[in-house]
């Protein structure tokens, strides 16, 4: 296929606006899937992923579409939908010349639509605005077209209106891809050069990479080199995804396809790397900004005897998800474990869910924390920390205020879009979370878009859930990094019967120490089951108690009421109680449920 007939594009959309449905429809219309086989969401290969033990994070599909007698190869590059993965979206877009900006004609523009639009816009990609779900009774394409005009300056005549579900108008989308998006700006006569824009780990083949070939071509058996590591590899497999893996002999400039060579781990398949022929170095393609973990949490086996199994499971998952960072950590109460870094809270949840589902590994996850910074004073202390600026993400490493001149915490720029009738509660929520309003704009008669600067630690746990609940589910939220600023931080120490429990302690803004302290103590009183002894729950800052609750003793004998009688029932109850105990941890000689560390921080 000549370069002029190749189109590389991606669909970007807010969650649930119909990206997978449209992708299926495009594949179906281009004959890649049989309409009658009834499979939907072909690109969501999660089931396949699990069976084969691989992760396909961003999956592409190549389809052939005929316009006026000419065959075009359309390469659809899938992007993940959630805010936590915006770096992956950005990467995938580097292989594209255009995007379909898909917007639900009923819901309208949402926070993620805005973030995605600007990502495509700054990359100077052609943007094809498409309104989906026009078959819905409440769809209002005219109003949403107005929104597109008000926010992005998109003209009415550029907007396509479709129903991905019914197939209405999808033909026009395919045509627009061919007519509006330019062919990739590549050169087939130059030496081979390709961008590695995604990779995943496969048990049998090692790292499998997705390549966008920018110049020349690559063939089976070629010796290739990585610009980043300088390592050499032999090409063992090449192919395109249709979306099934279809082997090919060579990939030529303009194409998107997969490759595997003798790379053992995904770390070797470095995303953003430039690949070229051995001994034929080329100019390096612009590298992506590596994803920086924003949220850290300790992960421990529920039972230390499962330490080795958990280590294997974590290693395997980290191999598949290069955005997760890991280091060894230990805690007096929880034993040996790991401190893992994630892109966001959803990323963390997905990870621990996968540990459970794919490896049957039950874990204790400690309260997530962001990375703080501090400036240390005094020559002795600077020497001890080897620098005057230190970073820490674990509250137990909070440096003593006496040796610190300033603390810093990370902020984000958040975008919220909502019907204006929820403006009051949303403003209140943002203020409660120490937010500072940056802008507000009406995007139509009853919808507003607001921007706030918010401390990351105020949004990691439950901001999104709370925002949804104060807006009856209508408000949407997205954020980007905004940098570090000075902040009055303190360590809120939690004590159980006078013993400080580092695992429950938190770093908070001084203005919030007392409020958060009261909430944590009340929450702990609710979460800790009554025990044989009285338990004093206290919160303290710098030795001063700021909150206190008391949990009265209680003797729990589950069989007490069953005099004589039914032995099997008695046994069953005792067994249940024993099962329950397994899910408990000892903290300061007190039994607590294993999920306490996260539950305690949820505010509602
Ligand atoms: P994520 O993968 O979660 O980001 O969602 P998505 O954007 O891929 O959305 P998906 O294709 O899963 O569609 C979300 C829901 O909208 C599904 O229930 C679809 O059946 C429905 N849907 C998609 N397109 C249409 C449409 O044209 N009309 C109607 N009525 N429903 C649609």
């Amino acid at each position: 296929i000549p370069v002029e007939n190749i189109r590389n594009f991606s669909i970007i959309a807010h969650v649930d606006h119909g990206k997978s449905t449209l992708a299926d429809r495009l594949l179906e219309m281009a004959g890649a899937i049989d309409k009658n086989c009834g499979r939907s969401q072909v690109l969501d290969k999660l089931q396949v992923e699990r069976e084969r033990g691989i992760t396909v994070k961003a999956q592409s599909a190549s389809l052939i579409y005929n316009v006026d007698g000419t065959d075009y190869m359309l390469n659809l590059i899938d992007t993940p939908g959630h805010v936590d993965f915006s770096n992956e979206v950005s990467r995938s877009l580097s292989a594209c010349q255009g995007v379909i900006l898909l917007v639900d004609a009923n819901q309208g523009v949402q926070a993620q639509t805005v973030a995605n639009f600007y990502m495509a816009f700054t990359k100077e990609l052609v943007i094809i605005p498409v309104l989906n779900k026009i078959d819905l009774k409440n769809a209002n394409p005219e109003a949403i077209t107005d929104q597109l005009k008000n926010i992005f300056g998109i003209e009415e005549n550029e907007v396509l209106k479709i129903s991905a579900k019914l197939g209405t108008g999808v033909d026009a989308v395919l045509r627009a891809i061919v007519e509006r998006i330019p062919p990739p700006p590549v050169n087939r006569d130059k030496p081979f050069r390709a961008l590695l824009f995604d990779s995943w780990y496969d048990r049998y083949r090692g790292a499998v990479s997705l390549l966008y070939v920018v110049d020349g071509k690559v063939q089976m058996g070629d010796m290739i080199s990585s610009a980043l590591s300088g390592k050499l590899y032999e090409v063992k497999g090449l192919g395109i995804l249709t979306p099934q893996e279809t082997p090919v002999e060579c990939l030529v400039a303009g194409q998107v396809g997969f490759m595997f060579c003798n790379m053992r781990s995904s770390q070797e398949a470095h995303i953003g790397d430039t690949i070229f022929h051995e001994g034929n170095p080329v100019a390096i393609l612009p590298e992506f900004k590596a994803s920086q973990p924003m949220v850290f949490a300790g992960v421990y086996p529920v039972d230390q005897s499962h330490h080795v199994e958990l280590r294997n499971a974590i290693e395997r998952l980290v191999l598949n998800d290069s955005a997760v960072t890991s280091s060894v950590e230990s805690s007096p109460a929880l034993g040996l474990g790991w401190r893992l870094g994630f892109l966001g809270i959803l990323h963390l949840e997905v990870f621990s869910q996968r540990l459970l589902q794919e490896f049957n590994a039950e874990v204790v996850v400690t309260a997530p924390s962001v990375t703080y910074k501090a400036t240390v004073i005094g020559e002795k202390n600077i020497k001890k920390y080897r620098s005057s600026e230190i970073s820490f993400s674990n509250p137990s490493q909070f440096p003593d205020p006496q040796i610190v001149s300033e603390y810093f915490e990370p902020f984000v720029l958040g975008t919220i879009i909502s019907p204006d009738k929820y403006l009051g509660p949303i403003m209140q929520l943002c203020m409660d979370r120490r937010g500072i309003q940056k802008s507000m704009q009406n995007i139509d008669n009853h919808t507003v878009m607001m921007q706030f600067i918010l401390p990351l630690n105020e949004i990691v746990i439950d901001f999104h859930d709370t925002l949804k609940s104060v807006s009856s589910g209508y408000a949407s939220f997205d954020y980007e990094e905004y940098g570090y600023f000075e902040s009055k931080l303190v360590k809120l120490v939690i004590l159980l019967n006078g013993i400080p429990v580092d695992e429950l302690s938190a770093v908070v803004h001084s203005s919030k120490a007392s409020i958060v302290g009261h909430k944590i103590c009340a929450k702990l009183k609710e979460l800790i089951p009554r025990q044989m002894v009285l338990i004093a729950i206290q919160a303290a800052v710098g030795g001063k108690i700021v909150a206190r609750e008391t949990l009265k003793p209680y003797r729990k004998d589950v069989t007490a009421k069953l005099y004589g009688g039914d032995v099997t029932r008695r046994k069953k109850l005792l067994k249940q109680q024993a099962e329950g105990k397994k899910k408990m941890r000892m903290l300061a000689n007190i039994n607590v449920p294993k999920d306490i560390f996260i539950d305690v921080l949820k505010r509602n």
Side-chain angles (χ1 to χ4, degrees), residues 128-129 145 149 153-161 176 180:
I128 303 175
T145 306
K149 184 162 182 171
I154 289 172
E155 292 303 327
E156 196 184 332
N157 59 7
E158 298 171 49
V159 182
L160 302 176
K161 301 180 179 80
R180 298 192 202 171

Side-chain angles (χ1 to χ4, degrees), residues 225-287:
S225 182
S226 143
L228 275 173
S229 71
K231 283 193 187 163
L232 286 184
Y233 302 95
E234 183 186 341
V235 178
K236 303 264 192 201
L238 288 172
I240 57 173
L241 299 157
T242 66
Q244 290 77 23
E245 291 189 356
T246 309
V248 296
E249 271 302 306
C250 71
L251 286 174
V252 294
Q255 276 191 311
V256 172
F258 67 87
M259 173 200 69
F260 51 94
C261 46
N262 39 332
M263 286 185 185
R264 297 256 168 70
S265 73
S266 345
Q267 266 84 352
E268 280 181 78
H270 187 99
I271 289 165
D273 201 353
T274 304
I275 306 290
F276 53 90
H277 275 146
E278 180 194 1
N280 215 342
V282 292
I284 290 171
L285 294 161
E287 213 205 319

Side-chain angles (χ1 to χ4, degrees), residues 15-21 41 132-133 135-136 163-165:
V15 178
D16 278 346
H17 281 199
K19 195 176 82 178
S20 310
T21 311
Q41 314 224 329
N132 187 27
K133 309 197 188 182
D135 59 295
L136 288 178
S163 163
K165 191 172 172 184

Side-chain angles (χ1 to χ4, degrees), residues 11-25 41 44 78-82 102 104 112 131-137 162-168 170:
I11 305 172
I12 54 179
H14 190 79
V15 178
D16 278 346
H17 281 199
K19 195 176 82 178
S20 310
T21 311
L22 176 61
D24 282 353
R25 209 58 66 232
Q41 314 224 329
D44 274 347
D78 195 22
T79 52
H82 192 270
L102 192 67
D104 186 322
Q112 230 175 291
L131 299 185
N132 187 27
K133 309 197 188 182
I134 54 163
D135 59 295
L136 288 178
K137 208 169 73 232
I162 68 163
S163 163
K165 191 172 172 184
L166 305 178
T168 325
V170 177

